[in-house]
């Protein structure tokens, strides 16, 4: 199994920088053992003008068969009971299949994540790339290969079916395609595309598809999968047609798309309104007033281990970090892009060890139960529920109040009655393009009351921002506190 990655350069920007970006020295051939065989990385050419890195995976067919059998649930061809000989005589050694993708994730781990300590700015930038995969098993043929790589920013996508035997064209084509990609892309983006699309085209995964494959897919698909016209085919094939996982991935991609389309501009309308108020001093933006109210409520609850669910760009996480009372802070969001912005804001990579130990950012969807979220003092959902479609709200309710069950839960959401005071907001509009609903005070109280009853919490309401005598405050906050009986039960369970 074989692929090459080439780039061109000049004396100022030598092509051999590719070695830094791949974390593999151009003058050395290197060997890695992966779970399915031995991977070699070497450079057939390495000059300032042109540099080519080759990845070759020598598959150990016997190990492959053993693996398939040992697990007992491998879905690969090699596991078929009637294929005794085929297990040992197959195309694996030559074809660039899903196994090559697994090898890439081992050998090019840092390059896939887009990090390069030696040349961070080069890793961020695009470079002229040429990628060649001489034998790509492609179920769906050259046309599908073009359909998958076509929308991804390459200036040339050349996919040609390899004939079964060149001497006998009448035999037709094999199931292999010779693929050449050329274009100006970030190396990490190109590698992530291959990492996902090689197994998608191979369509025969050789390892068990675990639920964390959804996370892997979303991570590798960051920046290109959410808008891909073949998203459904990619997702379902990548996840070996496991429908439950596929649906979960599609749903999360939809959220990513929405979160990204609104350009992370949650605070703009809030702030626009503050400019219309009539004070001499700089008005305090509503988002800041919200954070102040949240910090006060957390303080009142005596919370020190806190979840920020739907943390967005991490403004609240940042405020929590400034207060030593909060010993453990976990920010969760479905949008990788938001988390990337958050981690830059917090300067996570430059943070001292003790500070860093207090904070974690993790990707996840709040409409799925998540064991990692159990056992915290408090959870904050600041301006998050209105981003979910109403029919998904019960799932979030269960994940937070039924499964994670922190002692205190704070939920803030816009009060739609206040919208008439928003001079910049056209009548009948919600405050933000991605809001699926905005509630009146009565509607919010009704929902919160039911949630509290169903899950053993008490609930109180706190206005945030100027509490208008007619229409109430711009933001409404519910403070849920687990009732004593439930807390005892929780302690008993923990003991
Ligand atoms: N809490 C922040 C951000 C609010 S914007 C603040 O108060 O400023 C809403 C955030 O919720 C977005 O970052 C969006 O990506 C996230 N979000 C929406 N649906 C989600 C879901 N199902 N799971 C996790 N996060 C979600």
């Amino acid at each position: 199994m074989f692929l090459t990655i080439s780039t061109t350069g000049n004396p100022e920007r030598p092509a051999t920088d590719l070695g830094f970006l791949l974390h593999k020295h151009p003058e050395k051939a290197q060997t890695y053992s992966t779970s399915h065989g031995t991977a070699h990385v070497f450079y057939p050419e390495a000059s300032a003008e042109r540099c080519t890195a080759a990845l070759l995976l020598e598959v150990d067919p016997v190990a492959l068969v053993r693996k398939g059998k040992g697990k007992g649930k491998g879905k690969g061809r090699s596991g078929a009971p009637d294929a005794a000989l085929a297990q040992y005589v197959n195309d694996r050694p030559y074809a660039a299949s899903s196994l090559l993708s697994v090898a890439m994730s081992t050998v090019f781990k840092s390059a896939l994540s887009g990090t390069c300590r030696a040349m961070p700015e080069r890793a961020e930038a695009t470079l002229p790339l040429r990628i060649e995969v001489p034998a790509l098993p492609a179920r769906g043929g050259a046309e599908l290969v073009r359909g998958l790589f076509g929308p991804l920013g390459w200036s040339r996508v050349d996919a040609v079916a390899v004939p079964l035997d060149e001497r006998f064209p009448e035999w037709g084509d094999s199931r292999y395609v010779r693929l050449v990609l050329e274009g100006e892309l970030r190396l990490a983006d190109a590698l992530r595309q291959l990492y996902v699309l090689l197994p998608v085209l191979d369509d025969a995964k050789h390892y068990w598809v675990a639920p964390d494959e959804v996370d892997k897919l979303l991570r590798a698909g960051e920046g290109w999968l959410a808008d891909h016209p073949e998203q459904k085919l990619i997702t379902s094939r990548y996840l070996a047609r496991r429908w439950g996982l596929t649906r979960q991935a599609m749903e999360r991609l939809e959220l990513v798309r929405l979160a990204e389309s609104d350009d992370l501009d949650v605070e703009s309308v809030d702030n626009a309104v503050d400019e219309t108020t009539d004070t001499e001093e700089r008005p305090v933006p509503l988002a800041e007033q919200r954070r102040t109210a949240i910090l006060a409520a957390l303080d009142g609850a005596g919370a020190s281990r806190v979840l920020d669910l739907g943390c967005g760009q991490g403004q609240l996480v940042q405020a929590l970090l400034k207060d030593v009372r909060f010993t453990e802070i976990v920010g969760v969001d479905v949008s990788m892009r938001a988390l990337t912005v958050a981690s830059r804001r917090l300067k996570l990579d430059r943070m001292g060890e003790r500070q860093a130990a207090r904070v974690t950012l993790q990707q996840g969807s709040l409409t799925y139960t998540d064991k990692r979220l159990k056992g915290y003092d408090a959870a904050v959902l600041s301006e998050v529920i209105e981003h979910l479609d109403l029919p998904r709200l019960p799932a979030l309710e269960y994940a937070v109040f039924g499964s994670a069950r922190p002692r205190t839960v704070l939920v803030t959401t816009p009060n739609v009655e206040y919208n008439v005071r928003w001079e910049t907001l056209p009548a009948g509009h919600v405050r933000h393009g991605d809001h699926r609903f905005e509630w009146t005070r009565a509607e919010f109280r009704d929902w919160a009351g039911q949630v509290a009853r169903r899950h053993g919490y008490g609930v109180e309401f706190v206005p945030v921002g100027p509490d208008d005598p007619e229409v109430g405050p711009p933001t409404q906050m519910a403070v849920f506190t687990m009732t004593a009986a439930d807390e005892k039960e929780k302690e008993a369970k923990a003991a």
Side-chain angles (χ1 to χ4, degrees):
M1 299 185 194
F2 190 64
L3 72 82
T4 59
I5 305 167
S6 313
T7 188
T8 51
N10 54 49
E12 265 149 55
R13 297 191 136 214
T16 43
D17 284 355
L18 185 63
F20 286 105
L21 299 175
L22 290 172
H23 297 243
K24 302 287 170 273
H25 201 292
E27 275 162 28
K28 282 192 285 192
Q30 295 179 62
T31 300
Y32 303 82
S33 88
T34 75
S35 44
H36 300 103
T38 311
H40 305 272
V41 181
F42 56 95
Y43 288 76
E45 56 182 341
S47 70
E49 289 74 37
R50 278 191 64 83
C51 182
T52 295
L55 171 64
L56 174 75
L57 177 66
E58 270 182 298
V59 176
D60 174 356
V62 178
L64 192 61
V65 172
R66 286 214 195 97
K67 246 184 195 318
K69 279 196 179 146
K71 283 206 174 147
K73 33 186 174 172
K75 287 210 168 160
R77 239 168 267 126
S78 58
D82 58 344
L85 184 59
Q87 288 175 353
Y88 295 93
V89 185
N90 62 27
D91 61 16
R92 293 290 138 194
Y94 316 107
S97 71
S98 49
L99 299 183
L100 191 63
S101 154
V102 177
M104 277 176 67
S105 69
T106 312
V107 175
F108 296 140
K109 191 162 189 251
S110 314
L112 267 162
S113 72
T115 52
C116 177
R117 219 172 276 157
M119 302 190 158
E121 69 298 330
R122 282 285 257 161
E124 281 292 312
T126 61
L127 68 169
L129 284 175
R130 181 178 195 280
I131 290 181
E132 181 168 350
V133 189
L136 173 69
R139 236 186 110 236
E143 204 177 318
L144 181 61
V145 177
R146 284 189 288 270
L148 295 185
F149 286 98
L152 294 177
W154 298 95
S155 49
R156 175 176 168 217
V157 177
D158 201 7
V160 183
V162 177
L164 262 180
D165 189 322
E166 273 168 20
R167 294 163 303 174
F168 303 104
E170 65 278 15
W171 288 6
D173 292 330
S174 68
R175 57 183 206 96
Y176 298 100
V177 167
R178 174 174 168 273
L179 172 68
V180 177
L181 301 167
E182 282 178 12
E184 276 272 338
L185 268 84
R186 275 181 49 201
L187 180 63
D189 292 334
L191 293 175
R192 285 183 195 147
Q193 295 173 9
L194 290 167
Y195 173 76
V196 172
L197 296 179
L198 292 183
V200 162
L201 284 161
D202 188 21
D203 203 20
K205 278 199 125 185
H206 281 261
Y207 54 94
W208 179 243
V209 176
D212 75 335
E213 290 290 317
V214 175
D215 291 328
K216 281 191 203 156
L217 173 64
L218 288 170
R219 233 175 290 136
E222 194 199 329
W224 63 272
L225 186 53
D227 296 317
H228 199 294
E230 296 290 351
Q231 183 196 104
K232 191 164 176 193
L233 177 142
I234 295 170
T235 307
S236 100
R237 280 200 187 183
Y238 185 88
L239 297 167
R241 296 196 170 74
R242 303 237 344 237
W243 178 236
L245 294 180
T246 303
R247 208 195 48 187
Q248 187 181 333
M250 298 277 292
E251 242 175 64
R252 281 170 63 178
L253 283 165
E254 156 94 353
L255 292 168
V256 170
R257 203 161 47 74
L258 289 164
E260 294 182 349
S261 69
D262 71 24
D263 229 0
L264 304 166
D265 208 1
V266 185
E267 297 187 358
S268 60
V269 180
D270 293 354
N271 294 346
V273 167
D274 287 309
E275 279 161 28
T276 67
T277 53
D278 228 347
T279 45
E280 289 285 273
E281 297 148 59
R282 186 185 79 93
V284 179
L286 183 56
E288 204 173 312
Q289 297 187 45
R290 233 173 355 241
R291 284 193 288 278
T292 308
I294 290 167
L295 289 169
L298 289 174
D299 187 30
S304 54
R305 303 178 59 242
V306 180
L307 300 166
D308 182 5
L309 305 177
C311 63
Q313 301 178 62
Q315 290 94 335
L316 178 65
V317 172
Q318 189 174 37
L320 291 167
L321 264 173
K322 288 194 182 128
D323 191 328
V324 290
R325 265 177 304 193
F326 302 111
T327 55
E328 198 179 329
I329 305 152
V330 179
V332 180
D333 205 285
V334 75
S335 160
M336 282 303 272
R337 202 167 113 191
L339 290 173
T340 307
V341 176
S343 109
R344 268 189 222 134
R345 172 190 304 278
L346 300 169
K347 302 195 176 64
L348 271 189
D349 50 340
R350 275 167 279 165
M351 204 177 255
E353 232 171 80
R354 275 183 56 191
Q355 259 322 57
R358 291 171 60 209
V359 58
T360 315
L361 295 180
Q362 63 192 39
Q363 203 229 359
S365 173
L366 301 171
T367 49
Y368 294 89
T369 57
D370 187 338
K371 280 196 253 113
R372 298 175 297 180
L373 306 183
K374 286 184 197 247
Y376 285 82
D377 297 335
V380 180
L381 289 136
S382 163
E383 308 296 284
V384 172
I385 58 170
E386 65 277 9
H387 289 263
L388 268 75
D389 284 323
L390 272 173
R392 301 298 294 154
L393 214 48
L396 173 137
E397 175 190 330
Y398 182 71
V400 175
F401 294 89
S403 168
R405 285 190 80 68
R407 200 176 342 118
T408 304
V409 182
L410 309 180
V411 178
T412 80
T413 195
N415 162 22
V416 71
E417 296 166 79
Y418 192 89
N419 286 5
V420 295
R421 297 280 183 273
W422 253 208
E423 284 172 26
T424 48
L425 198 67
H429 277 243
V430 293
R431 293 180 203 179
H432 195 280
D434 189 40
H435 286 183
R436 308 307 173 80
F437 60 88
E438 285 177 353
W439 275 336
T440 61
R441 284 167 292 174
E443 284 168 323
F444 184 49
R445 276 165 193 268
D446 183 40
W447 173 79
Q450 288 184 39
V451 169
R453 267 195 303 285
R454 277 196 286 265
H455 300 280
Y457 285 77
V459 61
E460 280 167 25
F461 298 89
V462 180
V464 181
D467 197 355
D468 186 281
E470 259 174 70
V471 297
T475 296
Q476 33 188 352
M477 177 160 81
V479 181
F480 296 85
T481 312
M482 200 185 278
T483 53
D486 282 275
E487 216 179 321
K488 280 212 189 88
E489 194 184 310
K490 191 178 162 185
E491 277 163 16
K493 263 197 198 152

